[in-house]
Amino acid sequence: MPDVRESDLGRTGLIAVGGLLIVWEALGRLDVSMFVPPVTTVAAAWWQLLGNGTLTRAAASSLGSLVKGFVPAAVLGVAVGLAMGRFATVRHLLDGWVNALMSAPLSALVPVLIALFGIRDTVVAATVFMFSFFVIVVNTLTGVRGTEPSLVEMARSFGAGEVALFGRVYWPSALPAVMLGLRLGVVQAVKGMVVGEMLISLVGLGERLIYYGNTFLIAELYAVIASVLLIALTASQLAQALDRALVRWK
Amino acid sequence: MVVALRLVSVIAFVLLWEWAALVQISFNFPSPWATLTALVALVGSGAILTATATSLQSLLLGFGSAIVLGVPFGLLMGVVRPVGRVARVYLDLLIALPTAALIPLVILSFGINILSSAVIVFVFSVPFVTMNAYGGVRDVRPRLVEMARAFDASGPQLFFRIVLPSALPMILAGIRYALSRAFVGLIVAELLLSPFGLGRLIMASRSMFEHDRMFATVLWTLLLAGFALAALARVEGRLLRWRT
Amino acid sequence: MADVTAAAPPPVEIVVDGVSKAFGTVQALVDVHVRVRAGEFLSVIGPSGCGKTTLLKTIAGLIAADAGRVVVGDRIVEGPGRECSVVFQDFALLPWATVQKNAEFGLLLRGVPAAERAERARGVIAKVGLAGFEQAYPAQLSGGMQQRVGLARALAVNPQVLLMDEPFASIDEQTRRVFQDDLLRLWSEERKTVVLVTHSMEEAIYLSHRVVVLSPRPGRVHQVFEVPLPRPREGAGVRATAEFARLVDDLWKILRKLQ
Ligand SMILES: Nc1ncnc2c1ncn2[C@@H]1O[C@H](COP(=O)(O)OP(=O)(O)OP(=O)(O)O)[C@@H](O)[C@H]1O
Ligand SMILES: [Mg+2]
């Protein structure tokens, strides 16, 4: 995983994004290409799609799949990561799979999921799960393994048993890494959501992308892309806020 | 012991798969054996090899361009800080964006052809290559730069003797991660475009309910990606031997 | 404020009886015999890697000896016990917990109720000179202050034995001297049995009744060095005396031959 540090979307961010939008608008007005519609046209299309309920319906379906896939991925991912971190047997049983699947092009498995579940939105939730699970496992595992041995020894010197050691040392020590995993995981989850929906092309924002692409409705297409980006950014901001709330001592 | 446990987990997986095929959790779920047979047949007939060649063409084109353009641009971002600060914003957005959403746009612009899927591969991988080249330059230890300055190093000397070698590990890590993203993009693109490559083979088998062939192609694709990533990791290890 | 040490149990003796320990092929300790008297301040010194830490952890019950045994009071050590507290070289503070919570940690693990925990922790925090810093996080403290938190945590459980592994190694010289005086003062108030591992000859002589010199790996007891300086030593200018200088020099002569 490349080092994607928290961006400082401060003034530079505003200027950069604002500048892009202005240039884009100008190019759109000059009609350089049908693929660069003016920002205002896209905004109007977005507003219209929002007004007639298209966008809200699609987003509701998408977010439903996102939650159905991500929540189990988070819970199971953290649990598996903790188990792998604490028990060498579990670690050796699973680390080959986790490492391989962590970087595997899991999008290839979507047709398999379709074969399993049929063309249903369950496939989308399953894709979300697949995309986010492994990064959560790996980060949790790294967090547990990174616990300072001297803290463990210190707790043992006061007579800490396995449970106390886990709850009072390993877990709090792994928490920042767990939160990082959830942050990266939720971004992956949104990617899974879009890929799954585009491939089953049945419901949600992904289906809208395919539809507007097929019908050459460029402004609408951009409006949906923007919505997807918005969901991704919001999800990652939420995860970051949770991180800050839980890991204040850093 | 460790090897034994890994072996156990692989055997357990195959048994689970076999069991899943036996109990018919879904009417179109082939057994591991059927999948393997189909894979052998696909290799024998050459169908999967032709498809692989086509897919690799777009992969190499897209991923190659991502490296050729992304690394220098990332380095530039690192060396010329104002460029870095601004471009960083767009990179962050591109990294957060579910890239697949751009596929319809790319198809509309470039048509249904190999170029299209190469462009998609490029868009999937270039942000990570660039970001890591940038991060690599930014993380160069200031002490090393000071040291070189103290020895009167010229600008190019500083860049080629200090900055580039320091940034290399991160650049290579970025390239490896980008390759895995490139495969994701390639497959999504081909599954959506469908007229060529491994994606077509998967979709065609699915529409003809030849699920053993479909599973075989998916398995082949995953193995191919795994092999490519492992090979790249080896190259990386070679280049970074000094890190022990 | 309640005096948390009012009911301090009397100090106990420690007997290290023929302890050997190997890590794989590395023989760390061979047949080590040490008897620490009840209420004694004993230092362990020796070349790097000779097994000082291993000896201390064996006494603490954190490492099981391959041969021989350790007796603390009337308990044969088979694991960490309630008599001992350890002060660690790297402080081993929980970075996510405040000074108060860190000082309470040992009490928490031993099941002391919250209210009593808080009160006892406040008492020891004041005793080590950190009153007012209860709500600070370790990252906000200097190295010397962090180690005071480590000491407070060790004292909070009211141990009969204090085991310290180079507690002052990463603290600057001025802070260290003040800290050493505070430690002597605390020791004379509470009379615990103390085992201190150190690299500093001055420190060993300034603080201890006796200094155990370990030989290079594999560690054995090379010599036990008596320090007949009168007490109390803190603040009495002991370091400036000829007697002190002579003792340091004698210890140095022993250690130099070991190199
Ligand atoms: N957990 C371990 N595994 C393997 N070898 C160890 C372990 N702990 C200690 N050793 C080895 O045992 C020997 C004694 O180690 P120990 O830490 O007790 O020495 P020490 O006297 O405290 O050294 P120092 O002065 O550097 O702190 C060393 O050679 C060390 O490498
Ligand atoms: Mg040591």
Side-chain angles (χ1 to χ4, degrees), chain B residues 35-53:
Chain B
T35 306
L36 203 62
T37 319
L39 184 57
V40 171
L42 279 169
V43 173
S45 75
I48 208 166
L49 300 178
T50 327
T52 305

mmCIF file of all heavy atoms in Angstrom, chain B residues 35-53:
data_model
loop_
_atom_site.group_PDB
_atom_site.id
_atom_site.type_symbol
_atom_site.label_atom_id
_atom_site.label_comp_id
_atom_site.label_asym_id
_atom_site.label_seq_id
_atom_site.Cartn_x
_atom_site.Cartn_y
_atom_site.Cartn_z
ATOM 1 N N THR B 35 -13.024 -27.624 -12.623
ATOM 2 C CA THR B 35 -12.375 -26.359 -12.977
ATOM 3 C C THR B 35 -10.987 -26.613 -13.553
ATOM 4 O O THR B 35 -10.602 -26.026 -14.581
ATOM 5 C CB THR B 35 -12.269 -25.464 -11.736
ATOM 6 O OG1 THR B 35 -13.563 -25.320 -11.164
ATOM 7 C CG2 THR B 35 -11.712 -24.105 -12.094
ATOM 8 N N LEU B 36 -10.275 -27.511 -12.886
ATOM 9 C CA LEU B 36 -8.913 -27.817 -13.336
ATOM 10 C C LEU B 36 -8.932 -28.428 -14.732
ATOM 11 O O LEU B 36 -8.132 -28.057 -15.609
ATOM 12 C CB LEU B 36 -8.256 -28.772 -12.336
ATOM 13 C CG LEU B 36 -6.730 -28.750 -12.343
ATOM 14 C CD1 LEU B 36 -6.224 -27.381 -11.945
ATOM 15 C CD2 LEU B 36 -6.175 -29.826 -11.413
ATOM 16 N N THR B 37 -9.882 -29.364 -14.954
ATOM 17 C CA THR B 37 -10.012 -29.988 -16.266
ATOM 18 C C THR B 37 -10.280 -28.931 -17.333
ATOM 19 O O THR B 37 -9.663 -28.928 -18.405
ATOM 20 C CB THR B 37 -11.174 -31.001 -16.254
ATOM 21 O OG1 THR B 37 -11.138 -31.707 -15.020
ATOM 22 C CG2 THR B 37 -11.066 -31.965 -17.404
ATOM 23 N N ALA B 38 -11.195 -28.025 -17.017
ATOM 24 C CA ALA B 38 -11.526 -26.973 -17.975
ATOM 25 C C ALA B 38 -10.316 -26.107 -18.257
ATOM 26 O O ALA B 38 -10.079 -25.702 -19.402
ATOM 27 C CB ALA B 38 -12.676 -26.125 -17.435
ATOM 28 N N LEU B 39 -9.538 -25.842 -17.195
ATOM 29 C CA LEU B 39 -8.349 -25.003 -17.368
ATOM 30 C C LEU B 39 -7.355 -25.680 -18.305
ATOM 31 O O LEU B 39 -6.810 -25.051 -19.218
ATOM 32 C CB LEU B 39 -7.711 -24.718 -16.005
ATOM 33 C CG LEU B 39 -6.509 -23.771 -16.013
ATOM 34 C CD1 LEU B 39 -6.878 -22.443 -16.647
ATOM 35 C CD2 LEU B 39 -5.988 -23.548 -14.606
ATOM 36 N N VAL B 40 -7.151 -26.981 -18.083
ATOM 37 C CA VAL B 40 -6.227 -27.718 -18.950
ATOM 38 C C VAL B 40 -6.710 -27.667 -20.394
ATOM 39 O O VAL B 40 -5.936 -27.413 -21.324
ATOM 40 C CB VAL B 40 -6.086 -29.181 -18.461
ATOM 41 C CG1 VAL B 40 -5.316 -30.008 -19.486
ATOM 42 C CG2 VAL B 40 -5.394 -29.216 -17.112
ATOM 43 N N ALA B 41 -8.031 -27.838 -20.580
ATOM 44 C CA ALA B 41 -8.580 -27.794 -21.933
ATOM 45 C C ALA B 41 -8.376 -26.425 -22.569
ATOM 46 O O ALA B 41 -7.993 -26.303 -23.736
ATOM 47 C CB ALA B 41 -10.061 -28.147 -21.901
ATOM 48 N N LEU B 42 -8.594 -25.381 -21.768
ATOM 49 C CA LEU B 42 -8.451 -24.022 -22.282
ATOM 50 C C LEU B 42 -7.009 -23.728 -22.672
ATOM 51 O O LEU B 42 -6.746 -23.051 -23.672
ATOM 52 C CB LEU B 42 -8.901 -23.019 -21.227
ATOM 53 C CG LEU B 42 -10.410 -22.786 -21.124
ATOM 54 C CD1 LEU B 42 -10.738 -21.985 -19.872
ATOM 55 C CD2 LEU B 42 -10.912 -22.045 -22.351
ATOM 56 N N VAL B 43 -6.087 -24.229 -21.889
ATOM 57 C CA VAL B 43 -4.675 -24.026 -22.224
ATOM 58 C C VAL B 43 -4.339 -24.848 -23.474
ATOM 59 O O VAL B 43 -3.686 -24.358 -24.399
ATOM 60 C CB VAL B 43 -3.761 -24.439 -21.046
ATOM 61 C CG1 VAL B 43 -2.299 -24.380 -21.460
ATOM 62 C CG2 VAL B 43 -4.005 -23.532 -19.852
ATOM 63 N N GLY B 44 -4.864 -26.089 -23.499
ATOM 64 C CA GLY B 44 -4.592 -26.972 -24.633
ATOM 65 C C GLY B 44 -5.078 -26.378 -25.947
ATOM 66 O O GLY B 44 -4.361 -26.381 -26.950
ATOM 67 N N SER B 45 -6.281 -25.813 -25.916
ATOM 68 C CA SER B 45 -6.828 -25.267 -27.162
ATOM 69 C C SER B 45 -6.196 -23.929 -27.515
ATOM 70 O O SER B 45 -6.439 -23.384 -28.595
ATOM 71 C CB SER B 45 -8.335 -25.088 -27.017
ATOM 72 O OG SER B 45 -8.597 -23.970 -26.202
ATOM 73 N N GLY B 46 -5.434 -23.376 -26.588
ATOM 74 C CA GLY B 46 -4.788 -22.099 -26.859
ATOM 75 C C GLY B 46 -5.688 -20.902 -26.626
ATOM 76 O O GLY B 46 -5.232 -19.763 -26.686
ATOM 77 N N ALA B 47 -6.969 -21.163 -26.336
ATOM 78 C CA ALA B 47 -7.917 -20.045 -26.199
ATOM 79 C C ALA B 47 -7.482 -19.089 -25.104
ATOM 80 O O ALA B 47 -7.483 -17.860 -25.286
ATOM 81 C CB ALA B 47 -9.316 -20.594 -25.889
ATOM 82 N N ILE B 48 -7.080 -19.670 -23.974
ATOM 83 C CA ILE B 48 -6.767 -18.799 -22.842
ATOM 84 C C ILE B 48 -5.448 -18.057 -23.075
ATOM 85 O O ILE B 48 -5.244 -16.943 -22.580
ATOM 86 C CB ILE B 48 -6.746 -19.619 -21.528
ATOM 87 C CG1 ILE B 48 -7.126 -18.710 -20.349
ATOM 88 C CG2 ILE B 48 -5.397 -20.253 -21.278
ATOM 89 C CD1 ILE B 48 -7.460 -19.465 -19.103
ATOM 90 N N LEU B 49 -4.563 -18.676 -23.847
ATOM 91 C CA LEU B 49 -3.277 -18.021 -24.111
ATOM 92 C C LEU B 49 -3.465 -16.810 -25.021
ATOM 93 O O LEU B 49 -2.877 -15.749 -24.785
ATOM 94 C CB LEU B 49 -2.299 -19.019 -24.726
ATOM 95 C CG LEU B 49 -1.999 -20.232 -23.821
ATOM 96 C CD1 LEU B 49 -1.052 -21.194 -24.512
ATOM 97 C CD2 LEU B 49 -1.423 -19.775 -22.485
ATOM 98 N N THR B 50 -4.298 -16.977 -26.039
ATOM 99 C CA THR B 50 -4.582 -15.848 -26.926
ATOM 100 C C THR B 50 -5.213 -14.707 -26.133
ATOM 101 O O THR B 50 -4.819 -13.542 -26.268
ATOM 102 C CB THR B 50 -5.581 -16.263 -28.022
ATOM 103 O OG1 THR B 50 -5.351 -17.636 -28.341
ATOM 104 C CG2 THR B 50 -5.450 -15.386 -29.237
ATOM 105 N N ALA B 51 -6.200 -15.066 -25.305
ATOM 106 C CA ALA B 51 -6.880 -14.043 -24.507
ATOM 107 C C ALA B 51 -5.885 -13.346 -23.587
ATOM 108 O O ALA B 51 -5.903 -12.114 -23.444
ATOM 109 C CB ALA B 51 -8.006 -14.675 -23.689
ATOM 110 N N THR B 52 -4.986 -14.131 -22.984
ATOM 111 C CA THR B 52 -3.991 -13.555 -22.082
ATOM 112 C C THR B 52 -3.095 -12.572 -22.824
ATOM 113 O O THR B 52 -2.804 -11.478 -22.334
ATOM 114 C CB THR B 52 -3.137 -14.664 -21.458
ATOM 115 O OG1 THR B 52 -3.997 -15.602 -20.821
ATOM 116 C CG2 THR B 52 -2.166 -14.107 -20.439
ATOM 117 N N ALA B 53 -2.681 -12.973 -24.013
ATOM 118 C CA ALA B 53 -1.808 -12.093 -24.802
ATOM 119 C C ALA B 53 -2.497 -10.761 -25.057
ATOM 120 O O ALA B 53 -1.897 -9.693 -24.906
ATOM 121 C CB ALA B 53 -1.436 -12.771 -26.111
#
